[in-house]
Amino acid sequence: MNSSLMLRRFCCFNTSSSSSSLNSCSKKKPLVFLGSPQVSTTVLDALFNASTAPDSLFQVAAIVTQPPSRRDRGKKVMPSPVAQYALNRGFSSDLIFTPEKAGEDMFLSNLKALQPELCITAAYGNILPRKFLNIPPLGTVNIHPSLLPLYRGAAPVQRALQDGVKETGVSLAFTVRALDAGPVIACERLEVDDQIKAPDLLEFLFSKGSELLIHELPSILDGSAKVKAKPQDDSKATLAPKITPEESWLYFDKEALVLHNKDGQEPELKFHNNVQGIEVDDITFVKDALAFPCAGCTTLEVLEVQLPGKKVISAAAFWNGLRGQKMKKL
């Protein structure tokens, strides 16, 4: 695609035919948003809404997201949730970029043509090379769902719940080449409900993160955020690597509290002759809950079960569906 054509389309997007509207658009600083999963749409929605305000200082110039992939049990190739959301909002498909890697020459060339002042990332899912980070003069700002420098990495929410933390939060930080190690512009703390699951906490943190971003955007756009941003204390950093398939299993040689914290990751339970360390006949059904004996004479109570590709059902419904299984019911 001709890069000058893309820039021309951007300037005309979401504007009226009047010269005053066009002049108003041209004064706004072009911003590029990078995100992919459903939780990222919360941030994009906040940016879209803020950009249409009469006193807005910026315009969403382009969106960068993961390429289309097979979803809905592999039946259909579909755009990422962020791309689909943008299209539903009427954003031009010509300005939605889906590079396999953010360092591709053609992609970087197209990005430079838009002359973005700032880039915002929210769970984009791709490593940003130095060539990318050098493009926006105001830098790249990331919404990260942890209190940096804690839980740097791909799974901060899951790892925090696994550790049983009582407090977490969301951070707004400049992106540097080192993983989640850039100066922190602002953060918001919150207490952790010990019953919350990772997807719900992640959604809540990105919602709070979008509010924090909109609040801090004026200082980011005028450059003062770079002055006030605080360097992270690397000595206090902890890592939060992606959860592996093996880690999603429950091993009942651990105490129930450990497994309860792991439950925030939506672990897998597989019923064969034994369930990772306990006999199937040891599993009981008590007061609408599946009861699993654990280490230290503790018991894990499971109230809901979700089988692969199925909806969440109650433990009672799951128990009733276990026909022909040798289990005890109390």
Side-chain angles (χ1 to χ4, degrees):
M1 183 191 307
N2 185 280
S3 58
S4 62
L5 175 61
M6 286 194 303
L7 184 59
R8 189 161 60 250
R9 285 178 178 171
F10 157 60
C11 290
C12 294
F13 177 72
N14 256 350
T15 65
S16 67
S17 58
S18 69
S19 58
S20 61
S21 295
L22 185 59
N23 289 336
S24 175
C25 174
S26 63
K27 292 179 182 178
K28 294 183 178 182
K29 294 183 177 181
L31 177 154
V32 172
F33 175 75
L34 298 88
S36 298
Q38 187 64 38
V39 290
S40 303
T41 64
T42 301
V43 182
L44 181 57
D45 178 72
L47 289 171
F48 275 152
N49 293 339
S51 70
T52 60
D55 58 347
S56 172
L57 301 173
F58 72 94
Q59 185 76 16
V60 179
I63 293 169
V64 185
T65 188
Q66 291 289 333
S69 60
R70 293 191 180 276
R71 300 211 308 272
D72 293 340
R73 302 178 70 178
K75 292 181 179 179
K76 188 177 181 181
V77 176
M78 301 177 65
S80 76
V82 159
Q84 188 60 61
Y85 178 81
L87 292 171
N88 292 345
R89 286 286 299 250
F91 197 79
S92 173
S93 61
D94 292 336
L95 296 172
I96 300 176
F97 302 127
T98 58
E100 290 287 345
K101 295 183 178 180
E104 294 176 8
D105 290 338
M106 180 62 71
F107 163 66
L108 292 176
S109 177
N110 289 335
L111 185 66
K112 287 181 181 178
L114 293 172
Q115 298 182 325
E117 291 283 330
L118 173 70
C119 290
I120 300 292
T121 62
Y124 170 45
N126 212 330
I127 296 175
L128 300 179
R130 192 177 304 279
K131 289 189 293 185
F132 177 101
L133 297 176
N134 288 338
I135 292 176
L138 292 175
T140 296
V141 173
N142 181 48
I143 296 177
H144 187 75
S146 82
L147 296 173
L148 292 171
L150 302 179
Y151 298 105
R152 295 174 178 175
V157 171
Q158 295 94 326
R159 296 295 182 184
L161 290 179
Q162 176 180 298
D163 291 345
V165 299
K166 302 301 181 183
E167 181 186 59
T168 187
V170 59
S171 301
L172 203 62
F174 284 105
T175 300
V176 295
R177 283 292 295 143
L179 180 66
D180 297 324
V184 176
I185 301 168
C187 66
E188 183 167 342
R189 298 174 178 271
L190 68 139
E191 293 182 0
V192 177
D193 180 348
D194 61 5
Q195 298 300 318
I196 198 168
K197 292 185 178 180
D200 298 326
L201 180 55
L202 187 66
E203 182 179 355
F204 183 71
L205 289 174
F206 271 104
S207 176
K208 288 296 181 182
S210 64
E211 295 174 4
L212 190 63
L213 171 66
I214 299 305
H215 180 267
E216 296 292 336
L217 261 180
S219 68
I220 297 172
L221 292 171
D222 69 18
S224 61
K226 283 192 175 181
V227 178
K228 75 173 185 177
K230 297 180 180 179
Q232 295 184 39
D233 184 348
D234 292 339
S235 68
K236 297 180 180 179
T238 60
L239 297 181
K242 184 178 179 180
I243 303 293
T244 65
E246 292 76 17
E247 287 181 283
S248 66
W249 285 83
L250 293 184
Y251 293 87
F252 291 88
D253 56 352
K254 309 291 185 182
E255 292 192 0
L257 180 59
V258 174
L259 300 184
H260 172 271
N261 293 338
K262 197 181 182 73
D263 184 53
Q265 305 168 13
E266 298 185 339
E268 294 183 44
L269 295 178
K270 205 164 188 177
F271 289 85
H272 289 305
N273 292 329
N274 63 74
V275 187
Q276 296 298 330
I278 67 172
E279 296 297 325
V280 169
D281 284 347
D282 291 335
I283 304 170
T284 55
F285 183 68
V286 186
K287 296 180 181 179
D288 297 325
L290 289 170
F292 294 82
C294 303
C297 297
T298 59
T299 301
L300 177 69
E301 294 184 351
V302 177
L303 301 177
E304 293 180 336
V305 176
Q306 184 174 16
L307 298 176
K310 303 293 184 180
K311 294 182 179 180
V312 175
I313 59 174
S314 67
F318 177 76
W319 180 270
N320 292 333
L322 288 174
R323 304 184 185 279
Q325 296 287 335
K326 293 176 61 180
M327 289 189 173
K328 297 182 296 182
K329 181 175 180 180
L330 300 182

